[in-house]
Amino acid sequence: MDLTQLLNGIALGSLLMILSSGLAMIYGLRGVTNFAHGALYMAGAYIAYSVAQQVSFWAALIAAPLVLAALGAVLELVFFRRLQHRNHIEVGLVTFGLAMIIERVIVIIWGERTLSVDAPPGLTGTTSVLGSDYPSYRLLVIGIALALAVGLVYWLRKSRVGLHIRAASHDVETSAILGINVDRVSLLVVCIGAALAGLAGTLAAPYVSVHPAMGVAILIQVLIVVVIGGAGSIGGAMLAGMALGILQTVGAIWAPSLSVLIPYAALVVVLLWRPQGLAGKRA
Amino acid sequence: MKCTRSTFIISALAVSGLLAACGSPQSAGDGNSADGEAVKVAVIPPSSGALAQFGQDAYAAWQFAADEVNAAGGIDGRKVEIIKMDTDATPATTLRAAREAVNQKDAKFIGGVMTSTEHGALNAQLEGLGALSFNGLGKDDALTGKDCNANAFRVVQSTTMDMNAVAEGLSKLPAATWDIQAVDYSTGHTSAKVFKAAADKGGKKMGIEQFAPLNTTDFGSYISKLKGSDADGLFAVEYGADGVAFVNQMAQFNLSKKYDTVLGFNMVSEPLFKALGDKIVGFNNNLGYDVNSDEPKNQEFVKAWAEKHDGARPYYVVADNYLSAQTLFEGVRKAGSADPEKVKEALNDLTFNSIAGEVTMRGADHQLIRPSYLGQVVKDDKGTAGLGWKILHKADGATIAGDPSPDCTL
């Protein structure tokens, strides 16, 4: 595999990494399998499309995560918090319904047709990486994802809020007894998780095509990434997202017809070999 | 609340089933009272999912045709009534909608069905339903081959007809060596096979041939391989959202500059012009309908459509569904009846003037014999998003249709 193909795998892995880390954060703290995460990603891409049309792609990179963070706050305050003592299958189904609502709203606003967003000026061409020409925009995606991964992990490990998030993810009741405001932490986590979905959608907009089915298409992959990583583990989700991106790219080179099966095969292998996921702890 | 990992996994796997099974089976028909003389047509296009925009346009074309003929007094006095049904483009939902339309709403004719898979399932049920289907969208060869049916009439060109038109026009394109990038689906493989035969006949050489699974979003690995090829022409069969992603990523990798000629099959079309923009100027593609055709009926149709749609001109989905409606109306007119059996008989080998010129519904396999084109995307102020088509080659319908498939017995 040459350098270009490796970079292709890292670029795809970067998108999966950002998206799955948000989902893993929400699951880790709220215990919610957020089936609306794909729809949030799609909403991010559509918002990015409009903001990029009206202002610029760089404005979209800020605006879409902010709008999605606000949407995340609504999700937390209206649904997740009120449903926190309900069976998580029920909550999961509620998020599934939310995904359908979000998709419909998007179709009403933007229509059914496939849209596309141009890469920002200056990043439309290629850049030479060790002698290989590679799309500059994909390098930006990789750079943002890696910076985000490092920043997020550092923040979770070193900051006081990060400590509270890790504590609440481990045991909500004990954290509350110890004085951590779990509701506030949850609100923050769901907002960040949704914002990450918005960021992934924005970065994906010039990368793939923007269409109403894009959320559904990636949701299964992201759910698999989170399970492989160890449900609730942010680091595990990031690792699994990157690994799956590279594996899928390799698969597309060596066995294109079978590459769609790679996420499912990886899921089966990891669950047989390490049922708790790559970074999960045994229950 | 603490959840177990197994719950997460079960939920994650369950959602794929839910996503696949989810449809929208509700009907939007108006359920008028039965009228023996009315020509009742159930139009069943997708109203949700990625094909919904095409579905909306297909319905608009049928309704436009019905309004037009009704305004002129109907077909020999018979009014046309459109009964709109909803589907999500899955065979099960479409069949359910077709049964409801025929059994409860008294529809005798069906149009607007989108995919070849739906048509395949519908064809098998048509005789039991006692209804006729007019296919303006499903191009799979099997629909006039092993899956043909006496009650099913295909108005749109088959995949092979379109590919034969492209193959005929290949000599007009300059590239000497061709790479193939196609979807890993029957359309992709059939198109690649026909293309290679035509290229071989025309003395062209072949380079890389690769297939990407349907719904591929990242073409990076495929494009990286194409960049290493020496070919000067690219034949690409990627459509819908896949096609948009492929074209955009081609631009990001500067792949378009590597090839002198890019030839798409079902890759670039009017609904995608806005999304693809100027990147596709100079791309070549098959074209089923020529909006600029000087056929008198076409000129009238384009003018009337534009007047009713804020100046927007019809594209292939609209035109092919309008032509489907015209085919039905011609059948009813010749039969002098709205009885499906009589209309079926009347349509066999019927020749009539249409927006595509003089066309014939071939009795042997119920394929409409009509021309197909090879076009090049050019800048056009009157076109969608400032883009339009220059016709490079017009292929004769009878030539590209070839002989009826021996697999089809009506």
Side-chain angles (χ1 to χ4, degrees):
Chain A
M1 187 169 61
D2 63 21
L3 177 67
T4 312
Q5 297 290 22
L6 178 65
L7 287 170
N8 284 331
I10 294 173
L12 178 61
S14 297
L15 271 186
L16 291 176
M17 196 168 86
I18 298 173
L19 197 53
S20 53
S21 59
L23 183 63
M25 281 180 90
I26 295 172
Y27 180 77
L29 198 87
R30 268 296 178 217
V32 174
T33 311
N34 183 20
F35 293 130
H37 212 68
L40 297 178
Y41 159 80
M42 170 185 56
Y46 274 95
I47 291 166
Y49 167 80
S50 287
V51 177
Q53 292 263 309
Q54 300 299 322
V55 192
S56 72
F57 175 79
W58 302 111
L61 209 51
I62 306 292
L66 286 178
V67 173
L68 266 293
L71 192 56
V74 174
L75 285 183
E76 164 65 13
L77 296 174
V78 178
F79 298 100
F80 297 164
R81 189 169 295 179
R82 290 172 188 222
L83 298 172
Q84 61 183 309
H85 299 300
R86 300 292 291 269
N87 183 311
H88 34 257
I89 292 287
E90 290 174 14
V91 185
L93 286 174
V94 168
T95 64
F96 185 73
L98 285 169
M100 297 178 81
I101 292 169
I102 293 169
E103 185 183 321
R104 244 17 248 173
V105 170
I106 283 172
V107 166
I108 289 166
I109 297 173
W110 281 280
E112 298 271 7
R113 289 193 176 175
T114 303
L115 306 171
S116 76
V117 177
D118 286 334
L123 295 174
T124 49
T126 56
T127 300
S128 179
V129 181
L130 300 176
S132 300
D133 286 341
Y134 196 72
S136 310
Y137 181 73
R138 287 185 179 224
L139 294 173
L140 172 79
V141 173
I142 293 170
I144 290 177
L146 293 180
L148 188 87
V150 171
L152 199 58
V153 169
Y154 183 83
W155 179 66
L156 286 170
R157 295 210 174 276
K158 301 291 179 187
S159 72
R160 190 176 180 79
V161 181
L163 178 69
H164 289 178
I165 291 172
R166 285 186 290 131
S169 298
H170 189 71
D171 191 325
V172 173
E173 283 84 8
T174 309
S175 304
I177 291 166
L178 292 172
I180 294 174
N181 186 336
V182 175
D183 279 346
R184 191 188 298 167
V185 170
S186 295
L187 179 63
L188 181 67
V189 162
V190 177
C191 285
I192 291 175
L196 287 173
L199 178 67
T202 307
L203 290 172
Y207 192 124
V208 298
S209 47
V210 179
H211 60 106
M214 66 185 289
V216 173
I218 205 161
L219 178 64
I220 305 297
Q221 258 184 311
V222 175
L223 288 169
I224 289 172
V225 164
V226 172
V227 174
I228 291 176
S233 164
I234 298 163
M238 287 178 169
L239 186 68
M242 184 57 76
L244 204 61
I246 294 172
L247 268 177
Q248 274 196 280
T249 304
V250 172
I253 301 165
W254 290 335
S257 314
L258 300 176
S259 64
V260 286
L261 298 177
I262 286 174
Y264 305 98
L267 178 68
V268 172
V269 170
V270 169
L271 289 182
L272 287 175
W273 163 60
R274 195 175 159 83
Q276 70 273 32
L278 294 176
K281 293 180 177 60
R282 234 172 239 289
Chain B
M1 182 175 66
K2 205 70 188 162
C3 299
T4 61
R5 180 185 42 77
S6 57
T7 305
F8 187 98
I9 296 165
I10 291 164
S11 307
L13 293 175
V15 73
S16 57
L18 279 168
L19 290 168
C22 183
S24 51
Q26 80 279 10
S27 161
D30 54 13
N32 281 356
S33 61
D35 175 351
E37 285 303 295
V39 179
K40 295 193 175 185
V41 187
V43 177
I44 318 175
S47 57
S48 61
L51 298 171
Q53 181 66 50
F54 294 140
Q56 200 177 314
D57 294 337
Y59 166 67
W62 273 93
Q63 190 62 60
F64 179 83
D67 291 346
E68 193 179 57
V69 79
N70 287 339
I75 310 166
D76 295 335
R78 292 176 189 83
K79 292 284 180 189
V80 177
E81 185 185 321
I82 301 293
I83 301 166
K84 184 175 183 295
M85 306 295 289
D86 291 337
T87 180
D88 55 1
T90 59
T93 315
T94 304
L95 280 181
R96 203 158 47 233
R99 285 193 198 104
E100 187 187 334
V102 171
N103 296 329
Q104 294 172 30
K105 298 174 189 288
D106 205 24
K108 299 292 182 202
F109 306 99
I110 296 170
V113 173
M114 180 81 46
T115 66
S116 294
T117 322
E118 291 170 274
H119 279 290
L122 182 64
N123 283 8
Q125 303 287 324
L126 284 171
E127 281 170 329
L129 288 169
L132 305 186
S133 158
F134 291 83
N135 172 6
L137 295 156
K139 294 191 163 208
D140 194 343
D141 286 349
L143 295 174
T144 43
K146 68 180 176 60
D147 294 337
C148 74
N149 188 283
N151 286 30
F153 295 86
R154 172 151 57 192
V155 175
V156 72
Q157 300 93 334
S158 68
T159 298
T160 295
M161 286 171 76
D162 283 341
M163 258 318 295
N164 284 342
V166 167
E168 267 190 29
L170 191 58
S171 59
K172 296 181 178 171
L173 299 175
T177 308
W178 290 83
D179 289 333
I180 296 178
Q181 171 69 47
V183 60
D184 193 4
Y185 212 61
S186 60
T187 307
H189 287 278
T190 307
S191 310
K193 194 175 153 194
V194 176
F195 180 85
K196 280 192 291 184
D200 187 46
K201 201 174 160 189
K204 313 275 186 185
K205 290 180 185 163
M206 296 310 301
I208 290 173
E209 179 182 0
Q210 54 185 2
F211 297 87
L214 190 64
N215 297 326
T216 294
T217 51
D218 184 6
F219 287 93
S221 53
Y222 302 97
I223 292 173
S224 295
K225 277 171 86 173
L226 292 174
K227 283 196 87 170
S229 148
D230 295 328
D232 54 349
L234 173 67
F235 176 59
V237 190
E238 298 289 351
Y239 43 81
D242 292 19
V244 173
F246 179 64
V247 170
N248 282 337
Q249 290 169 31
M250 274 178 79
Q252 287 170 12
F253 276 87
N254 278 339
L255 190 68
S256 314
K257 287 183 185 160
K258 168 187 150 47
Y259 293 111
D260 295 333
T261 312
V262 176
L263 170 61
F265 185 64
N266 296 339
M267 186 167 77
V268 295
S269 59
E270 289 86 342
L272 299 176
F273 278 179
K274 194 176 172 199
L276 296 171
D278 287 353
K279 288 191 279 284
I280 55 168
V281 171
F283 277 31
N284 307 284
N285 203 87
N286 63 299
L287 193 62
Y289 166 67
D290 176 16
V291 70
N292 296 316
S293 159
D294 54 10
E295 293 291 340
K297 281 193 178 285
N298 182 59
Q299 295 284 323
E300 286 168 27
F301 166 57
V302 172
K303 186 166 175 271
W305 180 270
E307 277 170 7
K308 201 173 175 183
H309 296 86
D310 299 327
R313 298 194 301 171
Y315 70 107
Y316 71 92
V317 168
V318 170
D320 289 339
N321 279 278
Y322 179 82
L323 183 52
S324 299
Q326 295 305 305
T327 306
L328 165 63
F329 300 167
E330 290 292 338
V332 172
R333 196 168 284 127
K334 189 183 174 198
S337 166
D339 176 4
E341 283 303 315
K342 290 179 181 166
V343 175
K344 182 165 73 177
E345 288 305 314
L347 277 168
N348 282 333
D349 293 317
L350 177 67
T351 298
F352 59 97
N353 271 318
S354 74
I355 56 171
E358 190 177 88
V359 295
T360 300
M361 178 55 74
R362 186 161 67 181
D365 59 354
H366 289 181
Q367 169 66 55
L368 191 74
I369 304 303
R370 55 182 285 201
S372 184
Y373 308 86
L374 173 64
Q376 186 174 64
V377 180
V378 292
K379 294 212 176 220
D380 178 359
D381 293 340
K382 287 193 288 180
T384 308
L387 298 175
W389 294 100
K390 180 175 123 190
I391 302 294
L392 297 181
H393 178 70
K394 178 180 178 180
D396 172 63
T399 311
I400 56 176
D403 294 330
S405 165
D407 297 336
C408 174
T409 3
L410 297 179

PDB file of all heavy atoms in Angstrom, chain A residues 118-143:
ATOM      1  N   ASP A 118     -18.166  22.933  -2.045  1.00  0.00           N
ATOM      2  CA  ASP A 118     -16.795  22.994  -2.557  1.00  0.00           C
ATOM      3  C   ASP A 118     -15.812  23.114  -1.395  1.00  0.00           C
ATOM      4  O   ASP A 118     -16.119  23.740  -0.373  1.00  0.00           O
ATOM      5  CB  ASP A 118     -16.631  24.195  -3.487  1.00  0.00           C
ATOM      6  CG  ASP A 118     -17.304  23.949  -4.823  1.00  0.00           C
ATOM      7  OD1 ASP A 118     -17.435  22.768  -5.206  1.00  0.00           O
ATOM      8  OD2 ASP A 118     -17.737  24.932  -5.461  1.00  0.00           O
ATOM      9  N   ALA A 119     -14.645  22.552  -1.585  1.00  0.00           N
ATOM     10  CA  ALA A 119     -13.572  22.741  -0.589  1.00  0.00           C
ATOM     11  C   ALA A 119     -13.225  24.234  -0.555  1.00  0.00           C
ATOM     12  O   ALA A 119     -13.378  24.923  -1.559  1.00  0.00           O
ATOM     13  CB  ALA A 119     -12.362  21.913  -0.984  1.00  0.00           C
ATOM     14  N   PRO A 120     -12.810  24.740   0.600  1.00  0.00           N
ATOM     15  CA  PRO A 120     -12.519  26.179   0.679  1.00  0.00           C
ATOM     16  C   PRO A 120     -11.403  26.597  -0.272  1.00  0.00           C
ATOM     17  O   PRO A 120     -10.525  25.787  -0.595  1.00  0.00           O
ATOM     18  CB  PRO A 120     -12.102  26.370   2.141  1.00  0.00           C
ATOM     19  CG  PRO A 120     -11.743  25.019   2.630  1.00  0.00           C
ATOM     20  CD  PRO A 120     -12.542  24.051   1.858  1.00  0.00           C
ATOM     21  N   PRO A 121     -11.441  27.865  -0.726  1.00  0.00           N
ATOM     22  CA  PRO A 121     -10.395  28.339  -1.639  1.00  0.00           C
ATOM     23  C   PRO A 121      -9.012  28.090  -1.040  1.00  0.00           C
ATOM     24  O   PRO A 121      -8.804  28.270   0.151  1.00  0.00           O
ATOM     25  CB  PRO A 121     -10.675  29.849  -1.741  1.00  0.00           C
ATOM     26  CG  PRO A 121     -12.103  29.996  -1.358  1.00  0.00           C
ATOM     27  CD  PRO A 121     -12.404  28.911  -0.384  1.00  0.00           C
ATOM     28  N   GLY A 122      -8.113  27.668  -1.878  1.00  0.00           N
ATOM     29  CA  GLY A 122      -6.761  27.370  -1.391  1.00  0.00           C
ATOM     30  C   GLY A 122      -6.588  25.902  -1.060  1.00  0.00           C
ATOM     31  O   GLY A 122      -5.467  25.405  -0.957  1.00  0.00           O
ATOM     32  N   LEU A 123      -7.714  25.213  -0.877  1.00  0.00           N
ATOM     33  CA  LEU A 123      -7.629  23.783  -0.529  1.00  0.00           C
ATOM     34  C   LEU A 123      -8.321  22.912  -1.579  1.00  0.00           C
ATOM     35  O   LEU A 123      -8.682  21.774  -1.314  1.00  0.00           O
ATOM     36  CB  LEU A 123      -8.256  23.533   0.840  1.00  0.00           C
ATOM     37  CG  LEU A 123      -7.547  24.187   2.036  1.00  0.00           C
ATOM     38  CD1 LEU A 123      -8.356  23.991   3.310  1.00  0.00           C
ATOM     39  CD2 LEU A 123      -6.152  23.598   2.218  1.00  0.00           C
ATOM     40  N   THR A 124      -8.554  23.483  -2.760  1.00  0.00           N
ATOM     41  CA  THR A 124      -9.281  22.727  -3.790  1.00  0.00           C
ATOM     42  C   THR A 124      -8.356  21.789  -4.570  1.00  0.00           C
ATOM     43  O   THR A 124      -8.815  20.833  -5.168  1.00  0.00           O
ATOM     44  CB  THR A 124      -9.952  23.681  -4.793  1.00  0.00           C
ATOM     45  OG1 THR A 124      -8.973  24.634  -5.218  1.00  0.00           O
ATOM     46  CG2 THR A 124     -11.126  24.413  -4.179  1.00  0.00           C
ATOM     47  N   GLY A 125      -7.088  22.060  -4.544  1.00  0.00           N
ATOM     48  CA  GLY A 125      -6.150  21.244  -5.324  1.00  0.00           C
ATOM     49  C   GLY A 125      -5.423  20.224  -4.480  1.00  0.00           C
ATOM     50  O   GLY A 125      -5.959  19.715  -3.491  1.00  0.00           O
ATOM     51  N   THR A 126      -4.214  19.929  -4.896  1.00  0.00           N
ATOM     52  CA  THR A 126      -3.430  18.916  -4.180  1.00  0.00           C
ATOM     53  C   THR A 126      -2.161  19.533  -3.566  1.00  0.00           C
ATOM     54  O   THR A 126      -1.734  20.613  -3.961  1.00  0.00           O
ATOM     55  CB  THR A 126      -3.007  17.780  -5.144  1.00  0.00           C
ATOM     56  OG1 THR A 126      -2.298  18.361  -6.227  1.00  0.00           O
ATOM     57  CG2 THR A 126      -4.198  17.030  -5.685  1.00  0.00           C
ATOM     58  N   THR A 127      -1.620  18.830  -2.587  1.00  0.00           N
ATOM     59  CA  THR A 127      -0.367  19.238  -1.952  1.00  0.00           C
ATOM     60  C   THR A 127       0.583  18.052  -2.034  1.00  0.00           C
ATOM     61  O   THR A 127       0.146  16.899  -1.916  1.00  0.00           O
ATOM     62  CB  THR A 127      -0.630  19.568  -0.457  1.00  0.00           C
ATOM     63  OG1 THR A 127      -1.581  20.621  -0.400  1.00  0.00           O
ATOM     64  CG2 THR A 127       0.643  19.993   0.260  1.00  0.00           C
ATOM     65  N   SER A 128       1.841  18.335  -2.217  1.00  0.00           N
ATOM     66  CA  SER A 128       2.796  17.229  -2.314  1.00  0.00           C
ATOM     67  C   SER A 128       3.173  16.741  -0.914  1.00  0.00           C
ATOM     68  O   SER A 128       3.609  17.513  -0.069  1.00  0.00           O
ATOM     69  CB  SER A 128       4.044  17.708  -3.068  1.00  0.00           C
ATOM     70  OG  SER A 128       4.965  16.663  -3.131  1.00  0.00           O
ATOM     71  N   VAL A 129       2.933  15.462  -0.671  1.00  0.00           N
ATOM     72  CA  VAL A 129       3.310  14.852   0.614  1.00  0.00           C
ATOM     73  C   VAL A 129       4.343  13.775   0.309  1.00  0.00           C
ATOM     74  O   VAL A 129       4.015  12.744  -0.284  1.00  0.00           O
ATOM     75  CB  VAL A 129       2.079  14.223   1.313  1.00  0.00           C
ATOM     76  CG1 VAL A 129       2.481  13.619   2.652  1.00  0.00           C
ATOM     77  CG2 VAL A 129       0.982  15.240   1.499  1.00  0.00           C
ATOM     78  N   LEU A 130       5.570  14.016   0.678  1.00  0.00           N
ATOM     79  CA  LEU A 130       6.686  13.105   0.406  1.00  0.00           C
ATOM     80  C   LEU A 130       6.693  12.648  -1.059  1.00  0.00           C
ATOM     81  O   LEU A 130       6.821  11.459  -1.368  1.00  0.00           O
ATOM     82  CB  LEU A 130       6.618  11.884   1.346  1.00  0.00           C
ATOM     83  CG  LEU A 130       6.689  12.180   2.844  1.00  0.00           C
ATOM     84  CD1 LEU A 130       6.509  10.902   3.656  1.00  0.00           C
ATOM     85  CD2 LEU A 130       8.024  12.834   3.213  1.00  0.00           C
ATOM     86  N   GLY A 131       6.454  13.593  -1.927  1.00  0.00           N
ATOM     87  CA  GLY A 131       6.515  13.293  -3.357  1.00  0.00           C
ATOM     88  C   GLY A 131       5.211  12.832  -3.976  1.00  0.00           C
ATOM     89  O   GLY A 131       5.100  12.697  -5.189  1.00  0.00           O
ATOM     90  N   SER A 132       4.184  12.590  -3.137  1.00  0.00           N
ATOM     91  CA  SER A 132       2.882  12.166  -3.681  1.00  0.00           C
ATOM     92  C   SER A 132       1.901  13.327  -3.588  1.00  0.00           C
ATOM     93  O   SER A 132       1.774  13.936  -2.526  1.00  0.00           O
ATOM     94  CB  SER A 132       2.304  10.999  -2.874  1.00  0.00           C
ATOM     95  OG  SER A 132       3.163   9.914  -2.914  1.00  0.00           O
ATOM     96  N   ASP A 133       1.214  13.609  -4.708  1.00  0.00           N
ATOM     97  CA  ASP A 133       0.185  14.657  -4.680  1.00  0.00           C
ATOM     98  C   ASP A 133      -1.047  14.133  -3.967  1.00  0.00           C
ATOM     99  O   ASP A 133      -1.558  13.058  -4.306  1.00  0.00           O
ATOM    100  CB  ASP A 133      -0.176  15.069  -6.109  1.00  0.00           C
ATOM    101  CG  ASP A 133       0.923  15.920  -6.722  1.00  0.00           C
ATOM    102  OD1 ASP A 133       1.734  16.466  -5.949  1.00  0.00           O
ATOM    103  OD2 ASP A 133       0.987  16.016  -7.954  1.00  0.00           O
ATOM    104  N   TYR A 134      -1.506  14.897  -2.997  1.00  0.00           N
ATOM    105  CA  TYR A 134      -2.671  14.442  -2.230  1.00  0.00           C
ATOM    106  C   TYR A 134      -3.603  15.638  -2.027  1.00  0.00           C
ATOM    107  O   TYR A 134      -3.143  16.765  -1.803  1.00  0.00           O
ATOM    108  CB  TYR A 134      -2.227  13.877  -0.871  1.00  0.00           C
ATOM    109  CG  TYR A 134      -3.322  13.067  -0.236  1.00  0.00           C
ATOM    110  CD1 TYR A 134      -3.667  11.824  -0.744  1.00  0.00           C
ATOM    111  CD2 TYR A 134      -4.052  13.572   0.840  1.00  0.00           C
ATOM    112  CE1 TYR A 134      -4.708  11.092  -0.196  1.00  0.00           C
ATOM    113  CE2 TYR A 134      -5.092  12.838   1.396  1.00  0.00           C
ATOM    114  CZ  TYR A 134      -5.417  11.598   0.871  1.00  0.00           C
ATOM    115  OH  TYR A 134      -6.450  10.890   1.404  1.00  0.00           O
ATOM    116  N   PRO A 135      -4.961  15.413  -2.097  1.00  0.00           N
ATOM    117  CA  PRO A 135      -5.888  16.544  -1.964  1.00  0.00           C
ATOM    118  C   PRO A 135      -5.651  17.329  -0.666  1.00  0.00           C
ATOM    119  O   PRO A 135      -5.660  16.750   0.433  1.00  0.00           O
ATOM    120  CB  PRO A 135      -7.257  15.871  -1.951  1.00  0.00           C
ATOM    121  CG  PRO A 135      -7.064  14.615  -2.699  1.00  0.00           C
ATOM    122  CD  PRO A 135      -5.670  14.163  -2.372  1.00  0.00           C
ATOM    123  N   SER A 136      -5.491  18.633  -0.829  1.00  0.00           N
ATOM    124  CA  SER A 136      -5.200  19.482   0.332  1.00  0.00           C
ATOM    125  C   SER A 136      -6.340  19.426   1.350  1.00  0.00           C
ATOM    126  O   SER A 136      -6.099  19.456   2.557  1.00  0.00           O
ATOM    127  CB  SER A 136      -5.012  20.929  -0.128  1.00  0.00           C
ATOM    128  OG  SER A 136      -4.113  20.978  -1.191  1.00  0.00           O
ATOM    129  N   TYR A 137      -7.569  19.339   0.837  1.00  0.00           N
ATOM    130  CA  TYR A 137      -8.701  19.351   1.771  1.00  0.00           C
ATOM    131  C   TYR A 137      -8.664  18.132   2.701  1.00  0.00           C
ATOM    132  O   TYR A 137      -8.976  18.227   3.885  1.00  0.00           O
ATOM    133  CB  TYR A 137     -10.032  19.399   1.008  1.00  0.00           C
ATOM    134  CG  TYR A 137     -11.192  19.436   1.965  1.00  0.00           C
ATOM    135  CD1 TYR A 137     -11.483  20.587   2.690  1.00  0.00           C
ATOM    136  CD2 TYR A 137     -11.954  18.291   2.206  1.00  0.00           C
ATOM    137  CE1 TYR A 137     -12.501  20.612   3.621  1.00  0.00           C
ATOM    138  CE2 TYR A 137     -12.973  18.310   3.137  1.00  0.00           C
ATOM    139  CZ  TYR A 137     -13.244  19.478   3.840  1.00  0.00           C
ATOM    140  OH  TYR A 137     -14.244  19.492   4.773  1.00  0.00           O
ATOM    141  N   ARG A 138      -8.295  16.997   2.145  1.00  0.00           N
ATOM    142  CA  ARG A 138      -8.242  15.786   2.980  1.00  0.00           C
ATOM    143  C   ARG A 138      -7.164  15.928   4.061  1.00  0.00           C
ATOM    144  O   ARG A 138      -7.309  15.398   5.160  1.00  0.00           O
ATOM    145  CB  ARG A 138      -7.968  14.560   2.115  1.00  0.00           C
ATOM    146  CG  ARG A 138      -9.165  14.172   1.280  1.00  0.00           C
ATOM    147  CD  ARG A 138      -8.942  12.907   0.508  1.00  0.00           C
ATOM    148  NE  ARG A 138     -10.153  12.609  -0.240  1.00  0.00           N
ATOM    149  CZ  ARG A 138     -10.707  11.404  -0.333  1.00  0.00           C
ATOM    150  NH1 ARG A 138     -10.132  10.375   0.229  1.00  0.00           N
ATOM    151  NH2 ARG A 138     -11.825  11.230  -0.987  1.00  0.00           N
ATOM    152  N   LEU A 139      -6.097  16.626   3.710  1.00  0.00           N
ATOM    153  CA  LEU A 139      -5.050  16.852   4.720  1.00  0.00           C
ATOM    154  C   LEU A 139      -5.598  17.717   5.851  1.00  0.00           C
ATOM    155  O   LEU A 139      -5.270  17.516   7.027  1.00  0.00           O
ATOM    156  CB  LEU A 139      -3.831  17.516   4.076  1.00  0.00           C
ATOM    157  CG  LEU A 139      -3.084  16.651   3.048  1.00  0.00           C
ATOM    158  CD1 LEU A 139      -1.998  17.459   2.348  1.00  0.00           C
ATOM    159  CD2 LEU A 139      -2.473  15.415   3.712  1.00  0.00           C
ATOM    160  N   LEU A 140      -6.456  18.691   5.487  1.00  0.00           N
ATOM    161  CA  LEU A 140      -7.088  19.524   6.518  1.00  0.00           C
ATOM    162  C   LEU A 140      -7.957  18.660   7.441  1.00  0.00           C
ATOM    163  O   LEU A 140      -7.911  18.800   8.669  1.00  0.00           O
ATOM    164  CB  LEU A 140      -7.960  20.606   5.859  1.00  0.00           C
ATOM    165  CG  LEU A 140      -8.814  21.423   6.827  1.00  0.00           C
ATOM    166  CD1 LEU A 140      -7.967  22.499   7.512  1.00  0.00           C
ATOM    167  CD2 LEU A 140     -10.005  22.085   6.126  1.00  0.00           C
ATOM    168  N   VAL A 141      -8.742  17.754   6.840  1.00  0.00           N
ATOM    169  CA  VAL A 141      -9.610  16.865   7.640  1.00  0.00           C
ATOM    170  C   VAL A 141      -8.760  16.048   8.617  1.00  0.00           C
ATOM    171  O   VAL A 141      -9.080  15.939   9.809  1.00  0.00           O
ATOM    172  CB  VAL A 141     -10.437  15.926   6.720  1.00  0.00           C
ATOM    173  CG1 VAL A 141     -11.201  14.899   7.535  1.00  0.00           C
ATOM    174  CG2 VAL A 141     -11.395  16.738   5.860  1.00  0.00           C
ATOM    175  N   ILE A 142      -7.676  15.499   8.107  1.00  0.00           N
ATOM    176  CA  ILE A 142      -6.802  14.687   8.951  1.00  0.00           C
ATOM    177  C   ILE A 142      -6.229  15.547  10.084  1.00  0.00           C
ATOM    178  O   ILE A 142      -6.233  15.155  11.262  1.00  0.00           O
ATOM    179  CB  ILE A 142      -5.658  14.068   8.112  1.00  0.00           C
ATOM    180  CG1 ILE A 142      -6.219  13.047   7.123  1.00  0.00           C
ATOM    181  CG2 ILE A 142      -4.613  13.407   9.018  1.00  0.00           C
ATOM    182  CD1 ILE A 142      -5.216  12.558   6.084  1.00  0.00           C
ATOM    183  N   GLY A 143      -5.780  16.752   9.726  1.00  0.00           N
ATOM    184  CA  GLY A 143      -5.183  17.641  10.722  1.00  0.00           C
ATOM    185  C   GLY A 143      -6.172  18.010  11.818  1.00  0.00           C
ATOM    186  O   GLY A 143      -5.849  17.937  13.024  1.00  0.00           O
TER     187      GLY A 143
END
